[in-house]
Amino acid sequence: MKILVCISNVPDTTTKISFSPDNKELNTAGVQFVINPYDEYALTRAIELKENQGGTVTVLNVGLPDTEANIRKALAIGADDAIRVNAKPTDAFFVAQQIAYYAKEGAYDLILMGKESVDYNGFQVHGMVAELLGWPAIVPAIKLDVSGTTATLEREIEGGKEIVPVNLPLVASAQQPMSEPRIPNMRGIMTARTKPLKVVEPISVEVKTKTEAYSLPEKKSGVKLIDPANAGELITLLRNEAKVI
Amino acid sequence: MSVLVFIECADGKVKKSSFEAAFYGQQVAASLGTHAVAVAVGEVATEELKSLGGYGISRVLVDEEPRLKDYVSQAYTKVVAAATEKENATVIVLSNTNIGAGIGARLAARLQASYAANVVALPEVSGNSLKVKKSVFSGKAFAEETLTAAIKIIAVKKNSLEVKEPVSGEAAIESFSTALTDSDLTGAPQETIRATGDVLLTEADIVVSGGRGLRGPENWHLIEDLAKALGAATACSKPVADVGWRPHHEHVGQTGITISPNLYIAVGISGAIQHLAGVNSSKVIVVINKDPEAPFFKAADYGIVGDVFEVVPKLIEEAKALAK
């Protein structure tokens, strides 16, 4: 089984977000970039499947050379090889087109990625890739097993889950608790250095969305503290002042 | 030219988030000088669909094909794409749910459309393009984005706009069918398992959530009783789901479910940044924690520094009294 795992490079979750003076770009000074946490669930599950049933795991990232540290981390965790599409990921459609193009070229059986990235929260690259390839997309998946050419997934729905059997090939997006992400060990880190990382150029895609500016939410006016002895007063305030109950 | 709204249904009813999408679609249609039409699939009560008229929807196309009872992304996408073509829609509005956003993404690729998800406000119209405001960086910031393609798709985040009270008026119901192949239905669910609980977490206006401060699953009745008294859904923090006190589908936060209710009550949750990322779009946040230094108080509108085992029973009592 050939598995393609798509990873994106995102600011560490504890990052305090700020922007350039013209509000056009994220201020990356002092920001640590990590593998998107949801993509780590996808990556770990792919490696588990490979360990149990054989096959290969390729990671793909659309990014400039500065993402290679995280690509190497994915190789250290256990992926076999990697592709970096040498481009700044401008929008989801651009990224999806790159993935679909290189996925076709590699004839993969399964494409896995996180349900969304924690930076742009689009929840859309998997759906776009699936549509471009004409494959089913099971989104968001909390469990994934493969037996022969059939996958069985659990898809999260509002207030429950669905059991979905589906033939390969398919696209699935990962959400907790699909797997328990791993920390690379020393052997993994050493072997990652020698694993192939292919750099390819992007295909040309027409831009359909343009980010004009970023802004931060208005600051909260501060917490109103209520004496625990009169806790019931909170309910009155929520009803009469905040008008939410 | 028209605006097309995709209506999501559950248990034969239109979801609250879809009424919001309908209202949003009607507002966009008004600013474009056109009308809003809706499309729905599966079994849903006709009266429910007619009530969309109160939100400005003139007609609802309904595809009652039985195989569309459960969500399958390809099939639903095909239906909405066919409705788009039939109605010559230039804007498609969906709810930013797992289903809505999933269809939005496929449609965008299929129709070569501009697509914005997590949209939190009505768009600014300028010539043939729309400028939308979206929530990004897990609720820590907003982005303004211009959509330039001929067809624009917008997934509206729940509770993002004040929906006006519905006026009288019924939408006309039209039956609609799309030719589906077996491959369109690949990935249909074999079985659906629903969790117990009266209120759906993602649809809830009020959410009561517990953290490690509850000390153990045996104390969860405090969360459940308060939720019941307020008509709320229950949720939990990541550590609580990780140790198995509560199921994972109740975990709200960066790697769990993102919610934006009108009221979020956090009990015994310190408010790690990852947790905040999943709940910071809530309109009003209440924090109850014995530690006055808990970071969550900085993000809260109301707070009680106190022992949850003393405070929560008082809240339950007061909420019950109010309900009477």
Side-chain angles (χ1 to χ4, degrees), chain B residues 6 32 40 47 51 55 64 66 71 75 81 95 126 132 147 180 185 191 207 235 247 271 313-314:
Chain B
F6 173 71
L32 292 171
E47 287 308 310
S51 72
Y55 296 84
E64 289 181 309
Y71 170 65
S95 307
S126 122
V132 295
L147 312 181
L180 296 174
L185 290 142
E191 189 188 349
V207 174
K314 286 182 189 160

Side-chain angles (χ1 to χ4, degrees), chain A residues 124-165:
Chain A
Q124 55 194 288
V125 172
H126 32 69
M128 290 174 170
V129 169
E131 184 67 22
L132 291 168
L133 295 171
W135 293 5
I138 311 299
V139 175
I142 50 177
K143 198 172 174 201
L144 163 67
D145 287 309
V146 180
S147 168
T149 57
T150 309
T152 305
L153 298 102
E154 285 185 8
R155 190 176 87 83
E156 186 188 74
I157 58 168
E158 287 167 342
K161 62 185 177 184
E162 290 171 344
I163 313 294
V164 186

Side-chain angles (χ1 to χ4, degrees), chain A residues 13 15 38 118-119 121 124 131 135 158-159 161 163 176 208 210 212-213 215 220 224 226 239 241, chain B residues 15 106 110 114-115 118 137-138 140 142 144 146 190-191 193 195 202 251 254 274 301-303:
Chain A
T13 51
T15 302
Y38 292 108
V118 298
D119 49 5
N121 309 106
Q124 55 194 288
E131 184 67 22
W135 293 5
E158 287 167 342
K161 62 185 177 184
I163 313 294
Q176 210 187 30
K208 302 197 186 302
K210 185 169 172 272
E212 306 286 350
S215 59
K220 289 250 179 187
K224 188 177 221 174
I226 293 133
R239 179 162 188 136
E241 188 178 86
Chain B
K15 283 191 183 172
R106 285 198 94 107
R110 191 181 186 109
S114 296
Y115 176 40
N118 253 329
F137 293 104
S138 304
K140 287 188 268 188
F142 298 107
E144 278 183 22
T146 301
Q190 185 178 57
E191 189 188 349
I193 299 156
T202 46
H251 156 208
Q254 175 129 35
Q274 290 89 341
D301 299 280
Y302 296 94

Side-chain angles (χ1 to χ4, degrees), chain A residues 11-17 19 26 36-38 41 90-93 96-97 115-140 142 152 154-167 169 175-177 180 206-218 220-245, chain B residues 8 15 70-71 73-74 77 96-99 101-102 104-110 112-118 131 133-149 186-196 200-203 205-206 226 230 238 242 248-249 251 253-258 262-263 265 273-274 280 282-286 288 297-307 311 314-315 318-319 322-323:
Chain A
D12 170 43
T13 51
T14 57
T15 302
K16 197 168 176 210
I17 299 295
F19 300 101
L26 175 73
N36 179 41
Y38 292 108
Y41 299 130
T90 46
D91 73 357
F93 194 54
Q97 294 262 25
K115 71 161 183 173
E116 65 181 336
S117 66
V118 298
D119 49 5
Y120 299 107
N121 309 106
F123 192 91
Q124 55 194 288
V125 172
H126 32 69
M128 290 174 170
V129 169
E131 184 67 22
L132 291 168
L133 295 171
W135 293 5
I138 311 299
V139 175
I142 50 177
T152 305
E154 285 185 8
R155 190 176 87 83
E156 186 188 74
I157 58 168
E158 287 167 342
K161 62 185 177 184
E162 290 171 344
I163 313 294
V164 186
V166 56
N167 286 334
Q175 173 168 322
Q176 210 187 30
E180 196 56 52
E206 194 193 336
V207 173
K208 302 197 186 302
T209 60
K210 185 169 172 272
T211 302
E212 306 286 350
Y214 292 101
S215 59
L216 295 170
E218 280 176 34
K220 289 250 179 187
S221 54
V223 60
K224 188 177 221 174
L225 287 175
I226 293 133
D227 182 352
N230 301 320
E233 192 196 333
L234 171 69
I235 299 292
T236 317
L237 286 168
L238 292 174
R239 179 162 188 136
N240 299 332
E241 188 178 86
K243 298 189 185 348
V244 286
I245 57 176
Chain B
E8 243 178 88
K15 283 191 183 172
D70 294 311
Y71 170 65
S73 67
Q74 305 94 294
T77 302
N96 198 75
T97 57
N98 285 349
I99 291 179
R106 285 198 94 107
L107 273 178
R110 191 181 186 109
Q112 299 283 302
S114 296
Y115 176 40
N118 253 329
K131 190 158 89 176
K133 187 177 180 185
K134 326 188 302 183
S135 171
V136 291
F137 293 104
S138 304
K140 287 188 268 188
F142 298 107
E144 278 183 22
E145 205 167 271
T146 301
L147 312 181
T148 50
T186 313
Q190 185 178 57
E191 189 188 349
T192 301
I193 299 156
R194 293 210 180 271
T196 51
L200 273 182
L201 178 55
T202 46
E203 284 273 294
D205 284 328
I206 305 175
L226 181 57
L230 293 170
K238 184 173 187 289
D242 283 349
H248 268 289
H249 65 253
H251 156 208
Q254 175 129 35
T255 50
I257 295 168
T258 303
N262 282 327
L263 172 61
I265 302 179
I273 197 157
Q274 290 89 341
N280 58 8
S282 309
K283 242 174 232 159
V284 172
I285 295 177
V286 172
I288 300 162
F297 283 114
K298 288 202 180 79
D301 299 280
Y302 296 94
I304 299 180
V305 179
D307 184 345
V311 169
K314 286 182 189 160
L315 297 180
E318 191 71 22
L322 191 76

Side-chain angles (χ1 to χ4, degrees), chain B residues 152-222:
Chain B
K152 292 131 185 117
I153 305 172
I154 297 173
V156 185
K157 187 172 168 139
K158 187 181 181 295
N159 271 337
S160 295
L161 64 163
E162 207 68 47
V163 177
K164 287 206 190 96
E165 284 287 307
V167 293
S168 62
E170 286 191 350
I173 308 296
E174 280 176 34
S175 111
F176 179 69
S177 71
T178 313
L180 296 174
T181 63
D182 285 348
S183 81
D184 293 328
L185 290 142
T186 313
Q190 185 178 57
E191 189 188 349
T192 301
I193 299 156
R194 293 210 180 271
T196 51
D198 298 330
V199 186
L200 273 182
L201 178 55
T202 46
E203 284 273 294
D205 284 328
I206 305 175
V207 174
V208 180
S209 187
R212 271 182 300 193
L214 269 293
R215 288 193 209 141
E218 67 281 5
N219 297 320
W220 222 259
H221 61 91
L222 287 172

